[in-house]
Each structure stands twice: as C-alpha cells, then as structure tokens.
Amino acid sequence: MRGSAAASHPAQERSGGWDWQLLILTSLLVLFGLLMIQSAGSWRSDRLYGDPLHFVTRQLLGLGVGAVAAATVIMAPYRLLRLLAWPAYVGSLLLLLLVVMTPLGHSAKGATRWLSLGGVTLQPSEAAKLALIVVLADYLANNRGRLGDVVGVGLPGLGLLLPMMVLVIFQRDFGTTLILLGLAGVLFIVAGLRWRYVVGGLSTGLALLASLIAIEPYRVRRMTSFLNPFVDPGGSGYQVVQGWIALATGGPFGVGLARGVAQQEFLPEAHNDFIIAVIGEELGAVGFVAAVGLLLLLVRRSFQIACCAPDLFGMLAAAGIGAMFAAQSIINIGVVGGCLPTKGLVLPFLSYGASAAVVHMVSIGVLLKIWMESQLQAARPPDRRPRAGEG
Amino acid sequence: MTDRIQLPSIAPAVESDAVVRARALARLRWVSAGLIALLAAVGARGVQLSLLPSERTLRTAAVQRWDTVTHRARRGQVFDRNGHRLAISVATPNVLVDPTLVGASEVAGLATRLSDLLGLAPEVVAQKLSLKSRYQRLALRVHPAVAAEIGAIDHPAIWVERETRRYYPEGTLAAHVLGFVDADDDGREGIEAALDRYLRGGVVLEQRRRDRRGMNVDDPSPTTEPNAGMDVHLTLDRSIQRITEHALARAMERSAPLSASAIVVHVPTGDLLALANAPTFNPNELTDDALSRRNHALQDAIEPGSVFKPFTIASALAEGVVRPDTLVNCEGGTWFVGRSRIRDDHPSGILSVSEVLSQSSNIGSAKIALEVGADVLIGYLRAFGFGEETGLGLPGERSGFVRPADRIRPIELATTSYGQGVTTTPLQLAMAVAALGNGGILMKPRLVTRVEDVHGVPEVVQQPEAVRRVVSKDIADAVIDMMETVTEPSGPAPLGAVSGYRVAGKTGTAEKVEDGRYGDGRIASFVSLVPAEQPVLAIVVTIDEPSVGSHYGAQAAAPVSSEIAAGSLRYLGVPPSGGGAVDPLTQIKPEVPREELRVAWMGDGWQMPDLSGRLLRESVRVLEPAGLELTLRGSGRVIQQTPIAGTKVPAGGHVSLVLR
C-alpha cells in the first residue's frame, strides 16, 4: 500500500521505515494522557501521597518501561515476536496465578487484580490481554486454513483462552474477562471461523454473561444502576452521576485545566477510569471529542496496519491490538456514558495505570514492527518475498 | 475387494493462503468498522451528556457542587449632625466548626489547640467538637490574628467566617437613641430598630463551588458589597450629647437618683441635639440589665408637676382670661376645690399672674385654670402636644395622659393646672417648652435629617416640621418673661442660671404615685429656654427620686440644666446675652444641615463635587470612597479641578487637582 515511499529510500530498507502516523498518534495520546493525569490527579495524589506528581511520575515510569520494551521488539527480528508469544502467554498465566493463589495478590476497590512485588504493583491482567493476542495469533496463523476443523483446531484455540479467563474471573475482573473473550472472538473471526460458530460463540458468551450475573449478585446491582444512575445516585449510580455532572459542567469548552471540581473528591476514579469525564469537564466537549477522535484514529490505524501485514500472524496480532484499544475505549467511555455497567477498564494512554501503560506501549511496538516488516517485504522483489502467512 | 474401509475424510480440506487472506481482509474491514462505529456511538453519547445534559443532572450538580450562602450585606452607618460616626459595621471573624468532620481520635488534639488559641476551656471545646451537629459556633468576634492562626490549622471541619459586627465607636454615647442590634444584626432598640429597614443590608446571595466535603473550592466572598445598608444622619450633636451625658453623670453622683434624663432641643427647628438617660449602657457590651437600657426621656410618662404651670398660664393669657399683672388671691396656702384641699409649699397671699408662675403657687394656677375652663385649657394642653406621641419615631414612646375635657371634675382640672393627675414624657415637655421659645409654634421633634444609600443618594430627607401654632408670639414671649424671673438671684431657682446668658426656666418637684396614692418619692425637674431673649435651646432635665441632698427641682435639676446650657452655648458659640442674640445653628447651618461634599454614583459615573477652595485633605477624603485615580499638583487649596464640578467620571476614572 505504502511500500513505494519506503522503497525509494535505501537507508530505510533495513528497518522498514517508521509509521509516522502511528507514532504521532501515540505521542499525542501519551502527552494528552500525561497532561490530564496531572490535571485530574494532582489534587488527589497530593492528598493521598503528599506528592502532586505521584500519578504522573508512575505513569511516566510505565511509559518508559513500555517504550524500552517496544524498542526491543522493534530491534529484534520479526519472527522473534512469534517465538516470544508462548513464553509471554505462560508468564502471564503464572502472574495471574500468583495474584489468585498467593498472598502477593493485592486487593483494592473490591477486586484482587494487583500483584505486589517489592513495592512495585503490577496488574497482570493487562499483560494477559496482549499475551493472549499474540499467542492466539501465532496459533491461528499456524493453523491457517484449517479452522473448519472445530475439534482439532477451534477447541484447542479456545483452550488457550479458558485458563486465562478463569483466572481473571477469579480476580472478579469482569471487564477484562469480557475483553479477553472479545479479543479471542475477533481473532477467530478474522482468522476465518465459520459464521455459525461465531453465532454459537456469541450465544455461549451471552449464556456465560447471564450465569455470571446469576452467581455474582453485586453485578446485578450494577446492572440495574447503570441505565439510570439516578435510581441510586449516592450508591451504585454515584460515579456515573458524578461523571455526567462533570461533563455537563464542562459544556462546550470546559472550565479549564486543573479547574475541574469532579476530580476533587467527587470522582474517586477521576485520574483513571473516569478520566474522560474530567477531560469533558476541564476541556469541554471539544476536549472530549479530541480524545475520542485520537482513540478512533489509533484504532483505525491499527486495523490499517493489520490489513497490510506481511503474514496472517501480523494481521491477527495487529487486529487484536486494534480491537483491544477499541474495546477498552468503548467500554470505558460506555461506562461513563451510562451505556454499560461499571467495569474498571482504563482508557488507553489517557487513564492512569502503569501496567496498562507498559502493555499499551509494547502493543504500539508490535504494531510498528508489523508495519516495518510489511514495508520491508513490499520493498523486496516479489520472488524473494515469503508467502503470506508464513513467518 | 479390500479389507480397508474407505471412510470419508473428516478433516476438511485445508484452504489456500490466498483464500484465508482475502477472507481475513474482508472480515477485518467489518470488524474494524463495527468497533469504530461503537466507539463513535459512545463518543456521541458523551457529547450529548456534555452539551445537552438532562435537567436532573443539572439539578443534582447544583445541589451538591454549589454552596449557596446568603448573608447580610454591611449594615448602614449612623452619623451625628456633623458627620461623626456613631454606629458602624466592621468585619469580625467567627470561628465555626462542623463536628461531623472531626474524627473521634482528633477531638482531644484539636480541642487543645483550639482552646489555647481561643482562650476557652479545653473541655468546652471538646464537648462542642463531639456534638452531633453540622454547625457549631466555637467563638465569635475573635481577634484577626487569632483567626489567621485558626485558619492555618487547615482542618476541613474548622473554618473562619467573616461577619460584620456592629460597633459603636463612641461607646455609651447616645446609647439610648442609637439602640443596638442583636446577634443576627437586626435592630433591637432605638434608631437601630426604628430605621432597621433602611440600615439593614440587603441579602447577598453568594454561590461558591465546593468539593465533596463541602469545602469551598474558589476563593470565597466578593469584596464588593452591592446591597450595603443605608446611612442615617441624626440631628444629635456629639459634643452637646457629651456635655449632657457628663452633666447627668454628675447629677447621678450628687443626688443618687433612680434615674435621670435630659433633652436638648434646638428651638427653631425642633432638632434633638442631645437626648440622654442615666444610668446608661454600652451597646458594644450588652448586659442583661434592662433598666439601664430604658429610654426614660420618652418611655416614661410621669406627672410633670410645676413645670406644667407655664402652659396653664400661657393658655389663660392667650384666651385673655388674665394678663400678666392680673392679681390672684392665693389664700394663704390652703384652698378647697369642692371638698378637696390643695396647698402651696410656700404660702402666699395675693400674687400677680407672673408671681404665680415664679413663686409656683398651686392655688393660683388652679384658680386661673378654673377661670379658663376645662374645654379651653385641655384644648390648649393638647395643642402643646400633651396626651399624644410626638412622632419622634423611636420605639416605645409613650403618649402620656390628659383627662378629656368632658370628663374632668373641677378638682381634677385644678390639679392638672399644676401638673398632677396628668402625665407627660420629658420629650413632650421639651417640645412644649421649645414651642414657647419658638414664638408659640410647636415643632415636631426631628431626630433624623436624612437617610442615604452608599452612593450618597438620599432615600429619605426630613425637614423641620411645624405641627401647629399654639399661642401667639406675644403670649409666648410673655410667658418666657415670667420664666426668666425664676432663675434670677432672688428667684426660686438661681442654680438654673447660666453666667452671661439670660435663662427662662421653671422648676418642678412632682410627687410620685406609689400604690395609687402620692408617696415620699419626688421627681425633680427643670425646664428652660436659653438665651431667654431669643431662645436657641430648650432643655429639660428630670431626676427620678433624688436620694441624697435636696429633692427639689430647684436644687437637684436646675444645676444640671445650667451645666448643660453653659457647655452647649459655649460650644455653639452663642454670644452672651445683651450682645445681640444670634442662633449659630440657624445662622451657620440653616434648617437643613449644609450639604456635605460627596462624590455620588449616578448609575453611569461618579458625579464630581465642587472642590474649589477645599483643602487637600478634605478633597482626598471626599474622593476616596469612589476609588478614583487622583493626580495632584501644588499644595494648599484646590483652585482647579478636572473634570469640573457636576460632570461625571466613569468608575475607576481619573481626577486631577491643582492646588495653591
């Protein structure tokens, strides 16, 4: 698609050329995110930790670690991505196990999602998403064209998803469970799963959802509150009502950075889950649209990269990452908008969350690597080009 | 034949990479389009919430995020006739606490800190901190420095609120006229109560954003006070009031009475220059002693006694029943009206009408009264203002009691003529005496000259007001002539004289009614007009039950009146009698006190006053309230001003003055 430009620059041939569009989008989101985390979180972090820069420094740390990891991915050979998929998957499972099975698991906000390791708190479920994407991409690419074999190929694929999902459910992390399920669904669909299985999977998902609600009564309360948060504005509907108030207060142009009131005690999750509401309050509908617009462009770009990926693995991995960004954004904003029950999912790059920052940076690294590889191959003479689908 | 059964292959054919890739690309487009559409949809929902919020959201937001504080704007000030401040409002800090925000573990520590700063017992503070309440006043009117330290504690439960507090810079001065305000800044007595609707500041609605704990987010309180109360200008003269209170205080020491009152009226206008009572109180430090707050001068209706005789005689002269030299037989001190006996303290034989007044013969005045007749005499007394409120406007004024002419028996008419069986307030007496001094015209007492808003725009202007002509000037002058003999060295009340001035006076020593009959208690009184040849001041002094020394008006009350008259005449610069009487108040200050220089807000600008000839100091004081920028050249008096007088300067505008 865009190979001709890269091909005319021999110097770029080795690295395959940067995807400036993705880089600029990511940079804008990272800067916007840092700005808003500082704006929305400084009052609170000062109160909680006596340091107004507490959140922003941790976010920077996460972004930094993620950037280093992303650089490593970019420098390494393309095929290493697939080799690393399995260790990443197993490692994620182990970390999730540690959260669930050992006292290292750290609880907050009614869920055990964090892992405390010598002062560093990790959220393995964030890594699990990316790990699932690459491992499923690798698996489905290896078994390309044979997805019609449900027993031999389809079910083992689901077997990769299940342990992760179970562990995440044990963490009472419903949002991530849904995301994992959705990501697996997207990968299977793109990989060519027959429509009847897609429909069957969706029904199974819905059945799972229903059973989850049945066994977890606190979810039922959330379910009833999200559509009309004013039923219980002081309880289950509290955060959503506060989010709406923040958005309404912001109006078209907002009240100005760091001037929002929502972040000051009204919205306990102002700097992470509900940061879009703070953006709406402080920068108004203009800021809100800018944030959503950047995320939209990021998702669109991810899928564009998927479309011109050099092989099926790259295509699936990029699509999975794009779907991850999209799903996180949709669920996060949907929760704030009262379209979905409260989940606890971060908005990519905009919300505070060091683990998520690492994972999202690495995801960008993977996307870049896939893009570069596609550029490299487009630049090669056709006879030396490996066949699509082979890594 | 074969022994191997050919089963159909259960493994589906492996699709080619091209097929897989084409399908994947197609599905990618669908998936990405779907996800992007969903993201756009939730985004649109967010924009909707942002731009078209529901009524309910807005209502909830208003309730929880806006702190609506209503408070009273600054109360208006009260000035004396020369612009001296008698009552002002100053901002004082109050320390408040929301005990629900104080954790149980914090109580002890906070209580110790607060009690140290506020000088309260730690137990008291701790008890307040533990209450189940959202609002407790820890301390009111604390020192600003203490308030600053309290603010530095920075605990969400504790805050300092600035509240305007009424302050009376002159302390006890004119306390009974001014009255006081209660804790809510509502006027409770005196002018504060009477003119509360002007003085009170309007309600200021202030909206402040607050966070979840209810703490204010914004810097609170605008400094401007748009609804400040109006200022009241009184007729009182601070200096004459001081002289009067000082004289009363000395009378309290000398005679140890229950109470004493004095009123000084400016004769031509009816302006109250001073109105004082003793004992008095300090409105800055109110106590429970209600007696000291009683404004006897208008809230006590007492039997006036002999000070009433001038009005009886004035009526008789006006009706032509007697002339000053008409002789009256005073019966040697005892006379019967019907079966009731009346007596004179100083028995006399035949006296002229003048002597009836100066010797204060009850029998003489009774005979004159009976000669005049009930209808006529009561009519005159009512015309002098007795039996009805003067309309001063202060709360609690009594009307006094004059028997109706159609229901008065001869003995009652007789006693009424010398001030028994009739009640008046000292204020009524003062106005009636002033009417004699004013050529027979009764004035309405004036206490308030004007009420102005903060920009100097008058809301109420009161001009001196004549009620009616009671007697002709000749008759009034004749009575004054008679009264002059009272303070002559040979007269009954030489202590009422003022050196250098002629004084027309009349003493009174009324018996107090106790349990329905006259008892031992006396009210000594003295009414006077100075200078007698052209009265400027009418003074009434009443001393309720002098317990040390004489209880006669001539001894107990006359010297007080003399002291007040001497001090006031000297202060006013009234030339001594014989040198051609001039009323400085009417000369220098005509009926309406001279217009004070002011820069007034006209709605679209400040109206420049004429500053020419004014001192620098004066000009700056005048311009200061407008907050105009000022450029000065030279020194001395203003010879040129830009903009010129009468033109308007916009808010924050510039004024330049040239002085020489």
Side-chain angles (χ1 to χ4, degrees):
Chain A
M1 264 165 107
R2 289 169 182 78
S4 56
S8 61
H9 294 284
Q12 283 185 345
E13 203 172 293
R14 201 160 33 98
S15 62
W18 298 97
D19 180 5
W20 292 108
Q21 203 182 333
L22 184 65
L23 276 174
I24 289 168
L25 274 175
T26 309
S27 312
L28 286 176
L29 276 167
V30 162
L31 289 176
F32 198 5
L34 287 172
L35 185 70
M36 291 319 297
I37 288 162
Q38 180 57 18
S39 177
S42 61
W43 188 87
R44 196 171 151 76
S45 70
D46 191 30
R47 285 235 147 188
L48 292 179
Y49 307 103
D51 171 18
L53 295 173
H54 178 90
F55 291 136
V56 93
T57 43
R58 278 163 181 255
Q59 181 79 354
L60 266 174
L61 196 73
L63 289 166
V65 170
V68 170
T72 315
V73 166
I74 291 165
M75 312 269 259
Y78 179 67
R79 60 178 189 284
L80 199 67
L81 273 183
R82 299 185 69 162
L83 296 176
L84 279 175
W86 288 91
Y89 175 74
V90 174
S92 296
L93 274 183
L94 284 175
L95 286 176
L96 287 173
L97 262 175
L98 283 179
V99 173
V100 177
M101 314 288 278
T102 71
L104 292 171
H106 176 73
S107 298
K109 301 174 212 162
T112 310
R113 298 178 188 175
W114 290 268
L115 198 57
S116 281
L117 290 174
V120 183
T121 312
L122 299 176
Q123 198 178 348
S125 55
E126 294 292 345
K129 293 171 202 165
L130 186 58
L132 182 73
I133 289 169
V134 285
V135 87
L136 268 182
D138 182 56
Y139 174 81
L140 292 170
N142 285 338
N143 294 286
R144 64 187 178 280
R146 294 195 286 132
L147 260 184
D149 181 1
V150 177
V151 180
V153 179
L155 288 182
L158 275 184
L160 288 169
L161 167 67
L162 266 178
M164 228 172 220
M165 261 183 65
V166 169
L167 287 172
V168 172
I169 289 173
F170 268 114
Q171 297 177 19
R172 308 169 78 90
D173 190 345
F174 190 52
T176 304
T177 313
L178 203 69
I179 294 258
L180 290 176
L181 201 61
L183 290 178
V186 165
L187 290 187
F188 271 94
I189 289 169
V190 173
L193 189 66
R194 301 264 166 84
W195 283 118
R196 59 168 178 264
Y197 297 121
V198 174
V199 173
L202 275 178
S203 337
T204 317
L206 285 175
L208 266 173
L209 196 82
S211 59
L212 267 174
I213 290 162
I215 57 172
E216 297 278 10
Y218 81 99
R219 299 203 193 289
V220 180
R221 280 203 300 281
R222 284 190 179 186
M223 291 298 287
T224 52
S225 88
F226 78 88
L227 286 172
N228 183 2
F230 287 106
V231 169
D232 185 9
S236 58
Y238 178 77
Q239 294 220 59
V240 175
V241 168
Q242 296 306 325
W244 290 8
I245 289 174
L247 289 171
T249 309
F253 302 109
V255 297
L257 279 175
R259 292 192 180 194
V261 177
Q263 36 138 326
Q264 295 173 347
E265 296 281 332
F266 284 114
L267 266 181
E269 301 294 332
H271 57 296
N272 48 31
D273 294 0
F274 274 72
I275 195 146
I276 193 73
V278 177
I279 293 174
E281 182 179 20
E282 299 191 346
L283 301 176
V286 172
F288 181 91
V289 168
V292 177
L294 282 174
L295 290 168
L296 259 174
L297 290 175
L298 178 70
V299 171
R300 177 173 158 271
R301 187 64 192 154
S302 305
F303 278 101
Q304 281 177 350
I305 290 171
C307 285
C308 58
D311 52 16
L312 188 60
F313 167 78
M315 196 179 269
L316 290 174
I321 289 169
M324 175 179 74
F325 287 149
Q328 296 263 132
S329 307
I330 291 164
I331 294 178
N332 180 285
I333 299 170
V335 166
V336 175
C339 313
L340 293 167
T342 313
K343 286 292 191 310
L345 286 178
V346 299
L347 206 52
F349 298 108
L350 296 177
S351 293
Y352 166 73
S355 303
V358 174
V359 172
H360 292 150
M361 285 306 273
V362 174
S363 304
I364 296 293
V366 172
L367 284 176
L368 273 172
K369 187 67 196 169
I370 295 167
W371 167 258
M372 289 170 169
E373 188 64 17
S374 71
Q375 297 304 72
L376 266 181
Q377 297 202 7
R380 279 188 200 130
D383 55 323
R384 288 179 56 203
R385 206 179 292 173
R387 285 200 7 236
E390 286 176 329
Chain B
M1 196 180 138
T2 170
D3 54 352
R4 296 180 63 185
I5 301 163
Q6 191 71 39
L7 290 173
S9 167
I10 53 164
V14 174
E15 294 163 313
S16 75
D17 283 350
V19 172
V20 170
R21 190 176 174 91
R23 187 173 53 209
L25 278 173
R27 288 191 172 185
L28 265 180
R29 293 213 170 83
W30 281 108
V31 169
S32 67
L35 288 172
I36 284 170
L38 275 176
L39 184 48
V42 292
R45 168 72 174 149
V47 172
Q48 182 201 9
L49 288 170
S50 177
L51 298 181
L52 305 164
S54 74
E55 210 41 48
R56 196 141 183 200
T57 309
L58 293 176
R59 221 172 33 239
T60 313
V63 169
Q64 74 171 31
R65 295 177 76 166
W66 291 96
D67 192 9
T68 307
V69 183
T70 56
H71 69 87
R72 196 75 72 64
R74 183 176 61 76
R75 194 173 171 84
Q77 312 191 74
V78 181
F79 299 92
D80 87 338
R81 70 187 299 120
N82 298 314
H84 297 293
R85 288 181 173 85
L86 300 180
I88 61 178
S89 282
V90 288
T92 55
N94 292 339
V95 180
L96 307 171
V97 64
D98 178 352
T100 58
L101 297 181
V102 182
S105 57
E106 296 176 290
V107 170
L110 269 181
T112 317
R113 285 187 73 177
L114 289 170
S115 58
D116 275 357
L117 286 167
L118 298 171
L120 298 168
E123 310 84 63
V124 176
V125 178
Q127 188 253 332
K128 280 195 171 177
L129 291 179
S130 316
L131 287 173
K132 277 193 167 38
S133 142
R134 296 233 47 188
Y135 182 93
Q136 282 293 316
R137 295 174 169 186
L138 269 186
L140 299 181
R141 300 167 184 179
V142 301
H143 192 275
V146 174
E149 287 195 56
I150 299 271
I153 293 180
D154 198 26
H155 190 284
I158 297 159
W159 72 98
V160 175
E161 186 179 74
R162 291 201 162 269
E163 181 197 54
T164 57
R165 171 203 173 188
R166 201 60 163 164
Y167 179 65
Y168 303 89
E170 304 283 349
T172 58
L173 190 89
H176 292 99
V177 174
L178 296 173
F180 51 89
V181 297
D182 61 17
D184 296 326
D185 223 23
D186 288 328
R188 276 284 166 250
E189 287 291 345
I191 281 290
E192 296 278 28
L195 298 185
D196 191 54
R197 69 201 162 103
Y198 297 116
L199 283 167
R200 74 190 305 156
V203 171
V204 177
L205 190 88
E206 207 173 75
Q207 287 206 316
R208 290 182 279 200
R209 291 197 306 163
R210 61 181 180 187
D211 64 21
R212 193 176 175 183
R213 297 185 190 188
M215 299 289 284
N216 288 315
V217 175
D218 297 331
D219 220 12
S221 300
T223 46
T224 54
E225 289 199 82
N227 280 333
M230 298 187 190
D231 294 342
V232 170
H233 294 258
L234 299 181
T235 58
L236 291 189
D237 186 302
R238 185 178 65 167
S239 301
I240 296 177
Q241 180 76 24
R242 256 191 211 139
I243 291 164
T244 307
E245 291 186 7
H246 185 247
L248 277 188
R250 292 196 353 143
M252 292 296 283
E253 281 174 25
R254 197 167 51 228
S255 307
L258 293 178
S259 68
S261 306
I263 300 169
V264 181
V265 176
H266 182 232
V267 170
T269 56
D271 283 2
L272 290 182
L273 296 177
L275 188 153
N277 297 282
T280 185
F281 67 101
N282 185 344
N284 293 321
E285 295 157 16
L286 287 179
T287 63
D288 290 334
D289 181 13
L291 188 67
S292 67
R293 293 189 210 151
R294 189 171 177 87
N295 192 350
H296 301 281
L298 49 106
Q299 292 174 343
D300 282 2
I302 53 169
E303 292 201 352
S306 300
V307 293
F308 216 52
K309 284 172 186 159
F311 310 109
T312 303
I313 288 169
S315 315
L317 291 175
E319 284 299 297
V321 175
V322 293
R323 299 190 317 155
D325 54 359
T326 306
L327 296 178
V328 181
N329 182 355
C330 292
E331 310 284 354
T334 309
W335 190 54
F336 284 87
V337 177
R339 292 169 61 185
S340 307
R341 186 177 63 179
I342 55 178
R343 313 169 57 135
D344 282 339
D345 280 350
H346 307 285
S348 0
I350 292 174
L351 298 174
S352 70
V353 169
S354 289
E355 286 163 332
V356 166
L357 183 72
S358 63
Q359 308 281 319
S360 202
S361 166
N362 292 345
I363 295 167
S365 95
K367 284 189 166 181
I368 293 168
L370 292 168
E371 195 75 15
V372 173
D375 282 347
V376 175
L377 183 64
I378 299 300
Y380 271 99
L381 293 179
R382 289 199 168 273
F384 270 111
F386 298 112
E388 66 175 1
E389 291 170 22
T390 62
L392 180 69
L394 287 182
E397 189 188 349
R398 301 278 296 272
S399 58
F401 172 71
V402 177
R403 280 178 204 281
D406 54 349
R407 264 179 282 155
I408 194 165
R409 294 182 290 141
I411 178 61
E412 288 164 348
L413 183 63
T415 61
T416 296
S417 76
Y418 53 85
Q420 275 188 7
V422 59
T423 60
T424 73
T425 63
L427 178 65
Q428 285 174 334
L429 274 179
M431 297 319 294
V433 169
L436 292 176
N438 194 29
I441 299 173
L442 179 72
M443 301 297 291
K444 189 177 173 187
R446 188 169 74 142
L447 180 57
V448 175
T449 57
R450 63 195 192 281
V451 178
E452 299 174 341
D453 70 15
V454 279
H455 306 303
V457 178
E459 174 79 11
V460 174
V461 175
Q462 280 189 6
Q463 304 289 355
E465 194 183 319
V467 179
R468 65 180 78 89
R469 172 171 287 283
V470 187
V471 292
S472 71
K473 179 158 171 42
D474 292 345
I475 303 294
D477 288 350
V479 176
I480 292 171
D481 285 345
M482 294 178 198
M483 288 166 71
E484 252 196 274
T485 60
V486 170
T487 59
E488 281 169 1
S490 59
L495 291 176
V498 177
S499 102
Y501 296 93
R502 287 159 56 188
V503 178
K506 183 69 194 84
T507 61
T509 309
E511 296 174 20
K512 282 183 82 174
V513 177
E514 282 153 18
D515 302 328
R517 33 188 321 139
Y518 289 104
D520 294 335
R522 296 286 186 275
I523 294 178
S525 54
F526 192 77
V527 301
S528 62
L529 288 163
V530 286
E533 66 276 16
Q534 189 183 340
V536 175
L537 304 178
I539 301 169
V540 170
V541 174
T542 57
I543 313 277
D544 189 0
E545 287 195 32
S547 62
V548 177
S550 166
H551 60 213
Y552 286 102
Q555 280 79 40
V560 183
S561 176
S562 167
E563 191 178 334
I564 296 169
S568 303
L569 291 170
R570 208 171 302 129
Y571 160 75
L572 291 171
V574 177
S577 296
V582 178
D583 177 354
L585 281 175
T586 39
Q587 292 301 308
I588 302 163
K589 297 173 192 138
E591 289 173 345
V592 193
R594 84 189 159 90
E595 205 178 316
E596 237 178 84
L597 261 195
R598 270 185 174 280
V599 49
W601 180 252
M602 306 306 289
D604 55 348
W606 295 98
Q607 174 124 35
M608 279 297 292
D610 184 6
L611 294 171
S612 56
R614 299 286 174 165
L615 290 168
L616 169 62
R617 190 176 55 225
E618 228 174 337
S619 311
V620 170
R621 201 195 62 223
V622 168
L623 293 177
E624 199 185 2
L628 298 171
E629 204 182 315
L630 200 56
T631 312
L632 302 166
R633 207 138 31 94
S635 62
R637 288 176 183 275
V638 177
I639 55 162
Q640 194 192 317
Q641 72 180 70
T642 318
I644 58 164
T647 56
K648 285 176 197 148
V649 194
H654 184 263
V655 175
S656 71
L657 300 177
V658 181
L659 303 100
R660 188 181 294 156

